């Protein structure tokens, strides 16, 4: 990702980004139902590193499998490059957790930008105090083996019924997570920043008592005043 | 709404009000699944002003429609009278938001008493800091066009599977939102206040170690002591 | 319950306990979808005292029934022994509440260890300030009669699709509630404590930059260092 | 049940019966989501005999338990009196079946009037060919132990979120199952028959081209013609 | 609707029509979850006549309201023009029915082309034998008042989460119902017929053992052979 | 698969097979919610050939992609070996179909044993008349691109929340589909056949009026009589 793109997207809200994507015909980019464990620490941007789970089977998914350091879940944790976001496909199911605090901590120590699952997390009080943002459908103390089987990584997945391809740009804030197709990230970064600046001006106008008419959306006059202010 | 009714209902909890309505045969008055964005700012009372959405269609619901200041969503915002609550029917669907911060702010500036949707809101961190209470099924950054089409206002709607007629009295608190049929608001306001006062006394008695028997529900003796205290 | 077991389980997380139960073949012990009203006051352990609700019927479940102090709901409240947890089966339905603040307060005054429902609670702002932990699927101000009929107590129930037998050990923390079959409580208490101690050591190692390999799960060397530290 | 009541209810549709119950204030009497295995053999009327299931637990619900002829499920089958309907509460869950063909056949041989579950049945091709009607949420070949534990019988239950008390009158037809509170069965039997006869006349009128106005609901003239015809 | 368009659409499958609409950017035109009562009588085409329901309220929605021939539900039945399809918005809720056999029969006698609801129907055995096709989410014997309140007609609605505007073209077949925006009906009618003819040829080729490659989609050679055959 | 195993499993019901798997500790082997398009043609057995879909994205999943004969969906159809069952993971989502009649016909012509999806199928009237059994969550005429993106094949998938590994044995009958882990197929084939034979005898006994006691489960005497009969 272009450093300038990363910088701009790190300041853009998911609300702005989804509008930019909608303007380009993409209506399904928000991971609905997924929220930050810690709303006060939710700003996140990074390339997607994907991990896929399928349903567990009682004869395969026993506690002993964790003794294998090459278990796909552990291998994924040790493979996420710095600045990337681990995105886990748990089929929107969360009776058992996708991961817990020790793995999340290792991920953070390795420099990952964040953690996203369409299932649940365990040890959530601890994870929510980490410096690295984490997003899930909620909490479940149950270890993943009771419902999930980590099977492979770095292939395209669905997460919360949104397509996520490895390398897509994942942005998170207090409202949740949006997935930007890799080829659009640079294209929308500048317009997103401009949209946010304009909307800050519009909001001030509205706070000052202006009606929607002429202000939102802005007419020529409002646009001109907005342009002057920002100079 | 009678000012005395408004004053009394502004102090009544939704728990008390639903009990008063149940006593009059109404079992479906609570908007289940809808909560306040800011639990610390959830006390709300006002007449319902309704706005209805239907599902979006890709060829109609494009970003350009927002250029029309007569778009029903914007028109509704500019039409809610002071002291009223904007209640939006989004068919319990929240992949896209019903409204965002600029519209919510304009609504507040115009003097609305609150904002309710059975869908989601966007810019929720900002909306939750407004002085005006807002209630939704959660947050989604996606603009409404991706799933919703605002179509008309001030007609009867369903909100969270509860019937809401324009002019019904909408009351909100930390637990959520209840809809009082317009013709019952005056009738229940006083009994609601009396019920709350009695229950405060009963709670004290229970805290002091009294058993339920004789206390909750109160027998003659408890009622008599409650009556003396409140004099 | 053995006092030592109670003491150990009171410090174990639900994450640890579900792992211990999974190791013994039990995959369905977490009450999914149920959380604490007050995450800051969620530590709870006690024997299950069960109360069962069936759907309400309009001709039976009228407000007058509450005048009967032998109504099963009230009787249950007055029957829960000190140190026990009242667990209510509301069929995972929460349009109406399972109980409110006066009953919860009485339960606390009588010495109960906690309150769990797979439905909702009312007066939740007040209940969340009680010293006694309470867990539910959320809040609903509606009194239980609008949807529920308390019918009997101290029989086996389902709660959030988990079997709960009277006398099972119920443990709660910030992530939710787990049900330990009575005959397993003593057996898992010590291993749970040991697991937690070991995981604290492992976490430190991970925070210090150790990779998963050798550390999690711990190899001989890590186990040996863990053993020395705890001496 | 009065034989005349049984005879009349055996001819009344569930549509008519729910209307009669609604007229008496009961809005929740239809077991939504439950249909006949064999739509051609769905006419059923009988007193409810109830059986309750809770969620299974892996250490209790093993195949060996079936060796016990006093297992509640088997005991219930051998206890349903002739002319009664076995109604099973499976918490609306149907990943595993409530019963299979051998038990259903035994039930039929013993003279039961029918079989109802809010879960699923197994061996459904065979059960659908029995002379005795059976109703469920669908089919699942999985034996009940994988999800359900039969625990007790002849106590009030919920079935498809409707209250069913032992002795209530259960009526089924092609559209599904309705539960008539025991004390109302005699009261509604005659009005139900009268309603059906009147509606047959109205339907003929409508088929003959009459408008709704004056016909449905019937005005004095239509009622008078209906009365003459039926003489 | 142009008679030629009606004729062509009456032969096109919903599968073909949704593909034609997808080619024009419309991805949400199929009323998911809605099927024909009688799969053998499901071919239907006509302009949409809409009827909207909101949730019922116990004090308004009593059986007496049916005495009013101007009740919106009855008025709608008497207003649907010949050749039109009555489309009812019941908010995807079906505990109570949207309509029953007498109303459906009247609708048919008046010449309507069909009946669609995103809720349920009652008297379904009788309705399924009518000459007029009917589509619903299933059956419920409960009269609409127990859950629904007919409120207005001929305004835009949502049906099964698809936007339906009065005058849109509704097409049904054994697989369900699709809504064609009014302005696209003429445009897609011919291409739909051509697509169907081509696919019939392709299917024959596939049945004769041709591989997908070159056949589906058709290459130049296959297209040329298809063109010759149809001459 | 051993030919004898195939022969035995082709006669075993899914009810029997899930019991055999439960006896070996596997509780989650039935694909809940999936049924045969044609209940009269549902007997199916074969090795699983898997195909995985992720959510569609509007800029990638356009009709033009079908021009590529190497599109994973088409490639999968041309790759399924004779006697195998194509099992598709559509994340339990069915607004758009997983496949239609032309692909299903090609699959049949190539000798596949069947077709299973946890989503929906289109052209279902035609597919239900094919000689090859097909199972789905229902029908949707919408082509897969509107919701699904075929991405890869022959990797482990989840189907209806059951793990399916390539080569697992898929068995279908009128009640639905069960997945047998590859390594257990031979082991359970004989016991399944024996169980079915015994149950046929037991059923006869029950039909003849024997009580459950002694018959189901069979005691020594019943087992002995069963053994003699089958000689």
């Amino acid at each position: 990702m272009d450093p300038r793109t990363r910088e701009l997207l790190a300041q853009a809200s998911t609300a702005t980004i989804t509008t930019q994507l909608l303007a380009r015909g993409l209506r399904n980019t928000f991971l609905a139902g997924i929220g930050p464990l810690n709303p006060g620490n939710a700003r996140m941007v990074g390339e997607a590193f994907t991990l896929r789970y399928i349903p567990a089977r009682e004869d395969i998914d026993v506690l002993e499998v964790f003794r294998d350091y090459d278990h796909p879940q552990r291998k994924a944790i040790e493979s996420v490059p710095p600045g990337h976001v681990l995105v886990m496909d748990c089929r929107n199911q969360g009776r058992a957790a996708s991961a817990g605090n020790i793995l999340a901590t290792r991920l953070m120590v390795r420099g990952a930008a964040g953690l996203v699952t369409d299932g649940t997390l365990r040890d959530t009080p601890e994870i929510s105090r980490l410096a690295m943002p984490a997003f899930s459908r909620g909490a479940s103390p149950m270890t993943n083996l009771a419902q999930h089987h980590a099977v492979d990584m770095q292939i395209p997945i669905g997460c919360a019924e949104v397509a996520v391809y490895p390398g897509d740009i994942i942005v998170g804030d207090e409202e949740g997570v949006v997935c930007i197709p890799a080829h659009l990230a640079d294209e929308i970064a500048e317009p997103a920043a401009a949209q946010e600046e304009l909307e800050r001006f519009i909001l001030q106008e509205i706070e000052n008592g202006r009606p929607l008419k002429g202000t939102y959306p802005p007419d020529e006059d409002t646009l001109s005043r907005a342009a002057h202010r920002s100079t």
Side-chain angles (χ1 to χ4, degrees), chain A:
Chain A
M1 183 166 29
D2 185 292
R4 174 69 178 153
T5 295
R6 181 183 290 265
E7 188 189 330
L8 288 167
L9 292 178
Q11 295 161 34
S13 70
T14 56
T16 298
I17 291 169
T18 53
T19 298
Q20 290 295 329
L21 293 172
L22 182 61
R24 286 156 183 84
L26 300 180
R27 290 167 174 260
N28 185 33
T29 56
F30 174 62
L31 281 59
I34 310 300
L37 282 196
N38 179 354
N41 179 26
R43 291 297 321 182
M44 172 184 80
V45 57
E47 293 91 346
F49 184 101
T50 64
L51 174 61
R52 185 171 72 100
Y53 290 82
I54 61 169
R57 214 174 75 192
E58 292 94 335
D59 59 342
I60 293 180
D61 296 294
V62 291
L63 286 168
E64 286 69 35
V65 302
F66 283 151
R67 295 208 187 116
D68 177 9
Y69 296 118
D70 286 335
H71 183 280
Q73 191 201 39
R74 274 79 199 278
K75 217 168 140 186
I77 297 286
E78 293 286 6
S79 305
V80 179
H84 282 54
V85 174
L86 178 62
V87 184
M88 294 181 279
D89 170 356
C90 279
R91 312 166 321 281
N92 270 332
Q93 303 292 317
R95 198 165 51 71
S98 311
N101 185 37
I102 293 178
L103 296 184
T105 300
R106 176 61 185 158
L107 200 63
M108 183 190 67
V109 169
R110 294 190 78 260
L115 176 63
V116 176
T117 177
D118 62 3
T120 52
L121 295 171
R122 68 200 297 242
D123 309 320
T124 48
E126 290 78 17
I127 295 179
S128 69
R129 287 192 292 267
L130 294 181
M132 178 188 71
F135 296 78
S136 75
R137 187 171 296 285
S140 167
M142 186 74 71
T143 191
N144 67 90
L145 292 174
Q147 189 180 24
H148 303 301
H149 172 92
V151 63
D152 45 28
M153 58 194 197
Q154 285 296 70
I155 63 174
I157 59 171
C159 190
E161 276 302 300
V162 171
V164 178
Y165 292 78
D168 282 351
I169 306 305
I170 307 297
V171 178
D173 66 9
E174 197 172 334
E175 296 201 289
V177 177
V178 61
C179 174
I180 309 173
H183 71 96
L184 288 173
D186 291 343
E187 177 181 333
I188 71 166
E190 291 282 2
Q195 178 189 336
E196 298 233 325
E197 188 174 19
L198 177 59
E199 288 187 357
R200 273 191 295 273
F201 177 76
I202 290 172
L203 183 61
Q204 275 188 337
E205 297 281 285
I206 294 290
E207 286 169 345
N208 292 338
R210 296 241 184 196
L212 295 178
K213 189 160 203 161
T215 314
Y216 186 63
D219 59 10
E220 288 303 308
D221 177 59
T222 301
L223 283 173
S224 149
R225 283 183 298 116
H228 276 82
R229 193 200 51 159
S230 57
T231 343

